């Protein structure tokens, strides 16, 4: 079980401290949005590079950008450890996954709640991580879409059938209330933004998630 707090919900004026506060977590989830693939712009290369400089956490980069292959090398150079691409964002998902692997990074594939799961099947045997989006990407703080549980179960079954050791990550609306159900459905990496960086600070948020999973 890994927890991957999303820095999208942190206070960017205090990025260093906000990363310090999640140092006991497993990964830092880095949400890159281009205002085209999703209706929001978050941040890009300089913020990842700054995070890399002050934190030794695994940088789990989620690219919500059109034609991500244009920027894979730049994000790898800026400090990404894993690069996850949206299957809808490229005509060449297989090529994008291979490029990430050629860069020596862990390759992830993800898909929106409205995208048929079959879309990721051709690369399932190649990836190091599958991310099931449990909200429509673009914003933190949205509500978990209940149908996602069934999608997680299906992907878990497919990975097991393949004998794949890929991570199964879930992102969007994960809270202390639903974390256990998400893990029981087969996920082993939970992303949480607003549930971690809440009003009482990241330490308390992380603690609540850990307790819920015990
Ligand atoms: C959604 C992002 C998520 C987001 C999760 O577009 O991909 O990673 O930060 O935020 P919460 O946990 O608040 O739903
Ligand atoms: Zn994300």
């Amino acid at each position: 079980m890994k927890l991957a707090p999303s820095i999208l919900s942190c206070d960017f004026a205090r990025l260093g401290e906000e990363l310090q506060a999640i140092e006991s977590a497993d990964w830092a989830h880095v949400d890159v949005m281009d205002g085209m693939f999703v209706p929001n712009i978050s941040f890009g290369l300089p913020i990842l590079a700054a995070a890399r400089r002050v934190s030794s956490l695994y940088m789990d980069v989620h690219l919500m950008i059109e034609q991500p292959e244009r920027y894979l090398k730049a994000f790898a150079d800026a400090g990404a450890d894993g690069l996850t691409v949206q299957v809808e964002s490229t005509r060449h998902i297989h090529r994008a996954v291979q490029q990430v692997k050629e860069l020596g990074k862990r390759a992830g594939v993800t898909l929106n709640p409205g995208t048929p799961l079959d879309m990721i099947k051709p690369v399932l045997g190649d990836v190091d991580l599958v991310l099931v989006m449990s909200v429509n990407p673009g914003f933190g703080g949205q509500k978990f879409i209940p149908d996602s549980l069934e999608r997680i179960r299906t992907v878990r079954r497919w990975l097991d059938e393949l004998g794949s050791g890929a991570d199964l990550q879930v992102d969007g609306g994960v809270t202390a209330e639903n974390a256990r159900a998400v893990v029981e459905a087969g996920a082993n990496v939970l992303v949480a933004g607003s549930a971690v960086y809440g009003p009482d600070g990241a330490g308390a948020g992380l603690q609540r998630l850990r307790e819920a999973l015990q």
Side-chain angles (χ1 to χ4, degrees), residues 54-214:
V54 297
S55 171
S56 55
L57 281 166
Y58 177 98
M59 293 292 155
D60 169 40
V61 177
H62 176 193
L63 294 175
M64 288 160 274
I65 66 177
E66 289 291 347
Q67 297 178 16
E69 48 273 59
R70 295 175 298 157
Y71 290 103
L72 295 172
K73 181 165 187 326
F75 279 101
D77 290 345
D81 293 297
L83 285 162
T84 299
V85 294
Q86 295 268 165
V87 72
E88 308 89 347
S89 68
T90 172
R91 291 187 178 139
H92 299 286
I93 188 62
H94 188 273
R95 179 182 291 152
V97 166
Q98 296 311 318
Q99 282 174 357
V100 173
K101 292 167 88 169
E102 279 159 21
L103 289 163
K105 306 300 173 189
R106 293 184 80 237
V109 67
T110 183
L111 74 179
N112 294 332
T115 301
L117 283 178
D118 277 350
M119 292 279 289
I120 61 169
K121 263 202 157 164
V123 291
L124 214 54
D126 299 314
V127 292
D128 302 297
L129 175 146
V130 177
L131 165 56
V132 174
M133 287 306 300
S134 42
V135 298
N136 288 294
F139 303 92
Q142 302 181 78
K143 229 171 115 34
F144 185 89
I145 298 171
D147 282 357
S148 309
L149 288 176
E150 196 49 45
R151 286 164 68 85
I152 298 162
R153 278 185 211 109
T154 301
V155 175
R156 168 48 64 204
R157 194 177 70 240
W158 288 352
L159 289 174
D160 289 350
E161 281 167 8
L162 275 176
S164 165
D167 287 312
L168 176 42
Q169 183 178 49
V170 176
D171 182 7
V174 173
T175 63
E177 285 65 48
N178 61 22
R180 180 176 281 275
V182 171
V183 169
E184 281 171 2
N188 74 308
V189 186
L190 301 188
V191 175
S194 47
V196 169
Y197 289 105
D200 51 356
L206 264 178
Q207 188 55 31
R208 269 194 300 276
L209 280 170
R210 286 205 181 100
E211 278 165 17
L213 292 169
Q214 254 157 35

